[in-house]
Amino acid sequence: MSSWRAALARMRPRWRPSGDLGDRLALLLAAMVAFKFSNWLWLSARVSGKPALLANLIIQYLAFAVFCLLVALALRRPLPRAISRLRLHRVLWFSPAVAALVLVVIGIVIARPIAQNHLLLDDANVMAVCGARAVVAGHDPYQVAEIPCLASFNLPATLATPFHKGPFARVTVYPTPAQILAVADSPGHGGISLFSPLGKPPLAALFMVPVAHAPAWQRAAWTLLPILVLLLALAVAAGPLWPAVTAMVLLTLYLNGSALNFAANGNGEAFAYALMALSLVWIRRPWLSAVCLGLAIGSNQLAWFFLPGYVLVAVELGGWAKRAAGVGLTLLVAVVPWLLVYPDALARIYDSLRASTFPLGSGPIELVLGGFVAPPPRVLALVAAGLAIALIWLWGARFPVWRIAAGVLVLAAFWISWRSLDEYLAQIPLLALAAAVVLFRGRGARPAESGGAGQLPSARLPS
């Protein structure tokens, strides 16, 4: 009984959060607000014309810079004294009441479209389900064509991802809906060569096998399960600050492309994104953390690019033999057999990385989409994004005080990529939240006095 009472005492909400972690959570909350403005065309949606669009884009770029700065400061060790003096944790004083309100509101927001079967579906979401159906039927998921897949869900071909070749070769920026429909309806053009097939690692489709033929609301309930696991794990890790952390996780619903946003719409990519975050939540447990990361790598390419960041975050925690073995064994058991069963899987996955896609997303590429500048060579944008990943990683490796921040912000390099889609960037707030809670819980207002600038905090996750 005494152990249960002690556990409950540790989880008792702190109505007036204080100290280092409270300040960091307040910074991350502000970062989430900045991120919302970094890919939101709110001004140009109300005021027509190119000047309004350009003004909106400038605001977006400034907001993204503020977002990256706030994330970096929130994960800096130690927290700058100037920020500690601001006592930002006061923003969280009423977090238990706010968390209860957010839970009710977001519960209604999520439940309504699920009950009405009005989920926001995209082609990647649907292709994963079509791939799962192919697996169930004993067919090769990597031979599923996108246009017939969309048609099986009564969805328009305009949701498909076209390739810059064939009938689309002379299109400069992005095909119009009329152009996509014309090609999709042409004999022989709706197949696998002109539109994106399933190009994700095998687990992307396999995660959806249990609900391959289920109605949309059951798919959404299924994809919300990993988010529930993540939410509970973060709440336990946060201790008495769990109401604030819970509210922040729930508020990511309003960030386009976030794990919760995808999960609420039955998108199987939520599994990979939740697993990436769990690899940080359990980063002090090398085996468990590595298994989560391995499963994420086996289901989504974004986890491949997060791997260098994970190395930075974990570099001082040790257990590298266990981490390497955990990732390797997970891939060997959960992924390699499917690569053998579907011999064209590797080719499809590789082709998806080098596919001649059209530019899309937020960031500088919006200047191209808005007609302000001519499209740059695709390879130039890809090289720039790769160079940015390398520079961010080197920044963290060179300066230990920024190491955790750099580990999370490696994904920010996708902002300048050819396809800087929302989901590539929207995982940063959740990863930053996981890193902050796990690595800075229990720190005082002046972490430098006990941990030092070059050492990780000594707080441990509860067993």
Side-chain angles (χ1 to χ4, degrees):
M1 290 294 293
S2 60
S3 61
W4 277 103
R5 290 175 180 173
L8 291 173
R10 286 197 300 269
M11 294 296 294
R12 185 175 297 122
R14 188 179 297 163
W15 282 87
R16 298 188 62 166
S18 60
D20 184 75
L21 180 56
D23 291 335
R24 295 178 189 276
L25 293 179
L27 282 173
L28 289 178
L29 185 61
M32 288 169 55
V33 175
F35 182 81
K36 181 62 179 179
F37 281 93
S38 71
N39 62 356
W40 188 14
L41 293 171
W42 57 275
L43 177 61
S44 62
R46 292 162 176 79
V47 181
S48 60
K50 275 196 169 184
L53 176 58
L54 182 59
N56 201 147
L57 294 181
I58 292 173
I59 294 172
Q60 283 184 254
Y61 300 161
L62 291 174
F64 188 77
V66 171
F67 163 71
C68 291
L69 175 63
L70 291 174
V71 170
L73 290 174
L75 298 180
R76 186 184 185 275
R77 48 180 197 184
L79 196 66
R81 291 183 180 275
I83 292 179
S84 298
R85 293 193 201 100
L86 295 175
R87 301 176 66 194
L88 299 176
H89 54 263
R90 290 178 293 183
V91 175
L92 309 177
W93 277 1
F94 300 103
S95 56
V98 172
L101 178 62
V102 168
L103 181 62
V104 172
V105 171
I106 293 198
I108 295 173
V109 170
I110 291 176
R112 185 177 298 163
I114 292 176
Q116 297 174 350
N117 199 24
H118 290 161
L119 304 183
L120 296 175
L121 302 177
D122 60 19
D123 60 332
N125 181 351
V126 175
M127 282 296 288
V129 179
C130 286
R133 290 178 176 178
V135 172
V136 172
H139 300 149
D140 187 345
Y142 291 96
Q143 290 298 323
V144 175
E146 188 169 38
I147 300 301
C149 172
L150 291 171
S152 69
F153 282 85
N154 296 317
L155 294 172
T158 51
L159 289 178
T161 300
F163 290 153
H164 191 225
K165 60 182 182 179
F168 297 125
R170 295 185 180 181
V171 178
T172 55
V173 178
Y174 202 91
T176 64
Q179 289 173 320
I180 293 176
L181 289 174
V183 173
D185 292 338
S186 299
H189 285 327
I192 209 165
S193 61
L194 293 178
F195 295 93
S196 176
L198 179 65
K200 297 188 181 300
L203 295 184
L206 292 171
F207 280 145
M208 300 303 290
V209 165
V211 290
H213 293 282
W217 71 268
Q218 291 184 17
R219 293 202 305 272
W222 172 250
T223 53
L224 281 167
L225 285 179
I227 304 300
L228 178 60
V229 173
L230 173 62
L231 186 62
L232 293 175
L234 271 173
V236 171
L241 289 179
W242 66 265
V245 172
T246 298
M248 291 176 68
V249 172
L250 294 175
L251 286 172
T252 63
L253 176 71
Y254 295 102
L255 304 182
N256 294 336
S258 70
L260 179 55
N261 184 281
F262 270 22
N265 288 290
N267 194 322
E269 291 182 81
F271 279 92
Y273 301 150
L275 286 165
M276 288 166 58
L278 284 170
S279 73
L280 293 185
V281 173
W282 292 323
I283 198 167
R284 294 185 184 277
R285 302 173 182 177
W287 278 109
L288 186 56
S289 175
V291 168
C292 291
L293 185 60
L295 292 174
I297 290 172
S299 58
N300 195 288
Q301 287 93 328
L302 188 66
W304 304 2
F305 296 95
F306 174 62
L307 182 59
Y310 177 88
V311 171
L312 276 182
V313 176
V315 69
E316 296 170 20
L317 296 175
W320 283 107
K322 295 179 181 179
R323 296 182 197 279
V327 172
L329 288 174
T330 300
L331 293 175
L332 183 64
V333 173
V335 178
V336 172
W338 298 103
L339 297 178
L340 299 177
V341 173
Y342 307 122
D344 58 339
L346 287 176
R348 294 286 182 228
I349 295 169
Y350 176 69
D351 288 344
S352 72
L353 294 174
R354 57 186 292 274
S356 55
T357 52
F358 288 92
L360 193 65
S362 57
I365 207 66
E366 285 185 291
L367 294 173
V368 175
L369 300 174
F372 295 103
V373 298
R378 178 175 174 274
V379 67
L380 180 63
L382 296 177
V383 169
L387 182 61
I389 290 176
L391 290 176
I392 294 171
W393 194 90
L394 290 173
W395 166 55
R398 174 64 179 82
F399 301 103
V401 295
W402 299 107
R403 188 166 290 161
I404 300 171
V408 170
L409 286 172
V410 291
L411 297 182
F414 280 99
W415 186 73
I416 60 175
S417 67
W418 184 252
R419 290 177 67 85
S420 54
L421 302 183
D422 293 340
E423 57 263 34
Y424 299 163
L425 304 169
Q427 311 318 315
I428 298 175
L430 192 58
L431 294 174
L433 181 62
V437 167
V438 172
L439 298 175
F440 295 102
R441 199 195 88 180
R443 304 293 290 168
R446 291 177 292 178
E449 293 183 0
S450 58
Q455 299 177 356
L456 277 173
S458 58
R460 296 182 180 273
L461 283 174
S463 59

